Amino acid sequence: DAGVTQSPTHLIKTRGQHVTLRCSPISGHKSVSWYQQVLGQGPQFIFQYYEKEERGRGNFPDRFSARQFPNYSSELNVNALLLGDSALYLCASSLGLGEQFFGPGTRLTVL
Amino acid sequence: EDQVTQSPEALRLQEGESSSLNCSYTVSGLRGLFWYRQDPGKGPEFLFTLYSAGEEKEKERLKATLTKKESFLHITAPKPEDSATYLCAVQGKGAQKLVFGQGTRLTINP
């Protein structure tokens, strides 16, 4: 079975631009969560979606938004990029509460 | 607010030298404590879930234990391929998110 997939693998943007990151969960998983991981730190929670509804939001500005589609895949959007948004963005899928299984991540660099 | 602190930040061992990693946590009602392994530039790989104090889980050279305030990841006779960052996370009851520690960077020298 395929694990969590994310695209793109790497992305370079300039300040002020917009970015869209994509995630496909493990087959049968209805919950997707997004995390930001800055180098040398643990992942920080951004959003969780379950059955296409937002179920949790972390301490991130409104420039960050997300959605989940009927096939349970998800997009994370970040507007007006700042240098500090450079990080590894991780998507995790789960059946509901409990173990979350992570994808390989998208490395975003903002110049 | 839920918090996780891992120690040490970095640990260097010789192959075969056993040791333990610590994860101290505060959470308003623990639903689960999770251990992950992360290789450089990759996503975290799930290792264990622990639900209640006294519980233990094992996988190859790794064993995770849980008390009401902390968890330990014991590594027995490690090999160079065990080198990675080990992350601990907690999930509170009714919460959706995982709260992670900063990780322990483990290096096993041959």
Side-chain angles (χ1 to χ4, degrees):
Chain A
D1 273 345
V4 178
T5 60
Q6 292 186 245
S7 63
T9 305
H10 297 90
L11 204 52
I12 299 175
K13 293 286 189 178
T14 56
R15 283 176 295 176
Q17 285 190 313
H18 162 90
V19 68
T20 297
L21 310 181
R22 295 179 174 83
C23 170
S24 291
I26 293 170
S27 178
H29 285 192
K30 298 182 179 180
S31 178
V32 169
S33 299
W34 288 95
Y35 293 82
Q36 180 196 66
Q37 187 176 27
V38 175
L39 198 63
Q41 296 183 20
Q44 295 285 315
F45 174 75
I46 310 175
F47 286 110
Q48 189 192 44
Y49 278 77
Y50 181 76
E51 288 280 17
K52 302 180 288 296
E53 290 187 4
E54 182 183 306
R55 295 299 183 94
R57 183 182 184 117
N59 293 326
F60 282 81
D62 292 342
R63 298 184 296 107
F64 288 76
S65 64
R67 55 180 176 167
Q68 187 177 34
F69 299 99
N71 67 353
Y72 303 110
S73 67
S74 177
E75 282 183 355
L76 176 69
N77 295 283
V78 187
N79 292 323
L81 285 167
L82 304 173
L83 295 179
D85 295 330
S86 296
L88 181 67
Y89 287 85
L90 295 163
C91 173
S93 80
S94 60
L95 288 170
L97 296 176
E99 293 91 355
Q100 296 185 13
F101 298 90
F102 286 83
T106 293
R107 170 70 60 187
L108 173 64
T109 301
V110 182
L111 301 176
Chain B
E1 185 175 330
D2 301 343
Q3 280 193 315
V4 176
T5 303
Q6 292 187 244
S7 62
E9 289 188 9
L11 181 62
R12 190 178 293 270
L13 300 172
Q14 290 298 123
E15 184 172 1
E17 181 184 0
S18 301
S19 189
S20 297
L21 313 182
N22 178 263
C23 169
S24 297
Y25 66 92
T26 55
V27 64
S28 52
L30 179 70
R31 186 189 181 282
L33 183 141
F34 306 88
W35 282 98
Y36 289 86
R37 168 194 170 124
Q38 186 174 29
D39 292 308
K42 299 192 176 181
E45 174 190 347
F46 172 76
L47 293 173
F48 303 109
T49 306
L50 300 167
Y51 293 105
S52 58
E55 190 175 0
E56 298 182 355
K57 293 274 180 73
E58 285 190 66
K59 179 181 179 180
E60 296 181 359
R61 296 176 292 282
L62 300 176
K63 179 171 135 179
T65 61
L66 181 65
T67 73
K68 288 186 178 179
K69 294 184 179 180
E70 57 191 352
S71 176
F72 292 93
L73 185 65
H74 306 278
I75 302 176
T76 303
K79 299 181 178 181
E81 54 262 40
D82 294 323
S83 297
T85 294
Y86 290 84
L87 295 165
C88 172
V90 296
Q91 185 178 53
K93 288 183 178 177
Q96 311 298 323
K97 65 180 181 180
L98 299 182
V99 176
F100 282 86
Q102 79 279 18
T104 293
R105 190 172 64 255
L106 177 66
T107 305
I108 308 298
N109 294 317

